[in-house]
Amino acid sequence: MQHNHPDSLPAALETTVVKSWKAPIAFGIFSIIAILLFVVFGREGTSGFRLSTDSDFFQIPTIQAPTRATDIVLTVLLVALAAYSAFLVSRSRPVRLWVTVVFAVLFLVGFLTWASAGATIPVPGLLVGAVGLSVPLVFGALGGVISERVGVVNVAIEGQLLAGAFVSAIVASVTGQPVLGLLSAMAAGVLVSFVLAAFSIKYFVDQVIVGVVLNVLVTGLTSFLYSQVLSKNTELLNNSGTIRLPRLPIPGLSEIPILGPVLFRQTIIVYILYVAVAVVFFALFKTRWGLRLRAVGEHPQAADTVGINVARTRFWNVSLAGAIAGLGGAYFTMGSVGSFNKEMTAGAGFIALAAVIFGRWDPIRATLAALLFGFASNLQSVLSIIGSPVPSEFMLMLPYLVTIFAVAGVVGRVRGPAASGKPYIKS
């Protein structure tokens, strides 16, 4: 019988488990906020949630809930979830995504219940407004994902959105053809991207600096032309009657309660957005084009050695990103406001860039992040209408606070494409 000497036995692999307490700490902080806001400073009365519109297939009764009692129950559930997440981490188990989602939904419902004491929140209106504010953010985020995945930091999303809004207003007004307005918006976004790509890829200028300069340039140029040209000839160049796209309800689907008004009573730009999100996700992770793009963004030298032209791949994909962002700019004029105004994007490009980071450079996650920021923006409008006690100044800060929390801590460890922002100099 053969005996193995202890030294000849295979060494056991040691595994190191890193416990991340970030989620339990965040849940704990929000649970304390819930206790203070919903219980200690709880409000009396009845909170209402209207779930149907007049044109729905059938009417869902308005939900009426006692404000204080509902918030106490929700606070108990929030504390239980925070404790459960702490238990998972203490046992070296990950906090699953569903725990975070359920916690966020419960806190949001609790806040809306507290804020709407004695009033009724129109839920479809809240969600429709959130989608409307999110559309340009999603287009900008998709452009940002493509650009950064290929290795170019796209700080110029703001400029691409603004250029798309400006050019689409003029072209749609002059020609009376909304399709030409949309195509011209994409061309304007590509033009801004050309400058970004040329300076950052060919001349190796710092990509962030080029992006900031482009934003300032486009803002100044569109403001000057608006003051000197558009405002003096509104009928021909900035006609809201010609520019605005009609809503196109999808028969049957548009009458579904809640989902119908939110998703299926929209303009053509929103329907294009649904397709764009799916196509970008599929192409990025399931096609040869996406594999090449991601290879150039992660390891351009390795991509070069297998015959991929790094500079050309980056140039054309940054241009594609600009076209997508430009289409988002057209929504400001053609899908929302109906005419161009100075600096009407109001920092949407930077929030879209934050959505890219929050979404970890993934099209679906970036879309969800953009929807979150749009919801936060619209929430302040709805709460001010129903007379919520929350100060309007705080509500105006809300989307930016969400952005800061998202980028700074909520998403956990953030690592972008390895070569993003780094020029590739062929040796």
Side-chain angles (χ1 to χ4, degrees):
M1 185 175 181
Q2 185 178 358
H3 294 279
N4 288 328
H5 191 272
D7 293 340
S8 65
L9 294 175
L13 295 176
E14 293 185 4
T15 57
T16 303
V17 178
V18 179
K19 296 180 181 180
S20 175
W21 288 91
K22 187 171 291 187
I25 290 172
F27 291 169
I29 292 172
F30 279 100
S31 296
I32 293 171
I33 293 173
I35 292 170
L36 293 174
L37 191 64
F38 303 157
V39 180
V40 178
F41 298 104
R43 303 178 69 200
E44 301 295 341
T46 302
S47 301
F49 297 90
R50 190 169 72 246
L51 303 177
S52 295
T53 62
D54 295 336
S55 58
D56 289 346
F57 270 138
F58 55 89
Q59 299 295 308
I60 300 177
T62 298
I63 296 175
Q64 301 287 345
T67 304
R68 181 179 283 276
T70 302
D71 272 337
I72 289 174
V73 172
L74 291 172
T75 302
V76 171
L77 293 175
L78 290 171
V79 172
L81 280 176
Y84 176 64
S85 68
F87 169 77
L88 289 177
V89 174
S90 68
R91 296 296 180 93
S92 302
R93 292 160 63 186
V95 178
R96 298 295 182 185
L97 180 61
W98 71 265
V99 179
T100 304
V101 171
V102 171
F103 187 94
V105 169
L106 290 177
F107 185 88
L108 176 62
V109 172
F111 177 75
L112 291 177
T113 303
W114 177 85
S116 62
T120 299
I121 291 182
V123 175
L126 174 63
L127 298 178
V128 167
V131 170
L133 290 173
S134 302
V135 170
L137 300 181
V138 176
F139 275 115
L142 290 177
V145 168
I146 291 173
S147 186
E148 296 212 20
R149 281 281 187 173
V150 84
V152 177
V153 176
N154 193 355
V155 181
I157 297 174
E158 178 82 2
Q160 292 159 0
L161 290 172
L162 194 56
F166 179 79
V167 173
S168 64
I170 295 177
V171 173
S173 293
V174 171
T175 64
Q177 298 293 327
V179 174
L180 293 179
L182 295 178
L183 292 176
S184 66
M186 297 174 70
V190 170
L191 190 60
V192 176
S193 291
F194 271 171
V195 181
L196 172 66
F199 277 95
S200 61
I201 297 169
K202 184 173 177 59
Y203 299 109
F204 310 121
V205 180
D206 186 281
Q207 297 169 6
V208 175
I209 293 175
V210 177
V212 171
V213 170
L214 279 173
N215 289 335
V216 175
L217 174 64
V218 173
T219 301
L221 188 60
T222 54
S223 297
F224 173 77
L225 292 174
Y226 173 80
S227 301
Q228 298 300 315
V229 182
L230 266 65
S231 60
K232 296 178 181 179
N233 200 353
T234 305
E235 279 299 313
L236 176 64
L237 299 177
N238 200 18
N239 189 337
S240 59
T242 308
I243 296 171
R244 188 189 294 274
L245 291 168
R247 292 189 180 273
L248 302 173
I250 298 178
L253 294 177
S254 61
E255 280 81 36
I256 299 173
I258 302 178
L259 290 180
V262 175
L263 300 177
F264 305 116
R265 285 182 214 165
Q266 298 288 354
T267 61
I268 188 65
I269 301 180
V270 181
Y271 298 137
I272 292 173
L273 178 64
Y274 300 158
V275 177
V277 172
V279 168
V280 170
F281 176 79
F282 178 81
L284 201 57
F285 296 109
K286 305 293 184 181
T287 66
R288 184 182 176 189
W289 166 80
L291 180 62
R292 285 171 169 254
L293 183 151
R294 289 182 287 121
V296 167
E298 288 290 344
H299 203 310
Q301 190 172 8
D304 195 8
T305 58
V306 296
I308 299 174
N309 188 318
V310 173
R312 186 168 63 196
T313 302
R314 285 185 170 180
F315 191 92
W316 290 115
N317 283 291
V318 169
S319 301
L320 172 63
I324 295 173
L327 193 57
Y331 182 81
F332 283 104
T333 49
M334 301 183 67
S336 178
V337 178
S339 59
F340 180 81
N341 295 309
K342 284 198 293 186
E343 301 181 34
M344 67 187 306
T345 51
F350 297 107
I351 296 184
L353 188 61
V356 174
I357 301 169
F358 188 20
R360 298 185 182 183
W361 295 269
D362 178 274
I364 302 296
R365 290 180 176 178
T367 298
L368 295 176
L371 288 169
L372 172 64
F373 299 148
F375 180 84
S377 298
N378 192 51
L379 184 60
Q380 59 96 5
S381 302
V382 173
L383 292 186
S384 63
I385 290 172
I386 66 171
S388 168
V390 182
S392 59
E393 293 82 4
F394 173 78
M395 295 309 299
L396 287 171
M397 290 164 49
L398 191 59
Y400 303 99
L401 288 175
V402 170
T403 305
I404 292 169
F405 277 120
V407 175
V410 177
V411 294
R413 182 173 174 267
V414 174
R415 187 193 75 82
S420 182
K422 301 174 183 177
Y424 175 64
I425 303 173
K426 193 169 183 176
S427 54

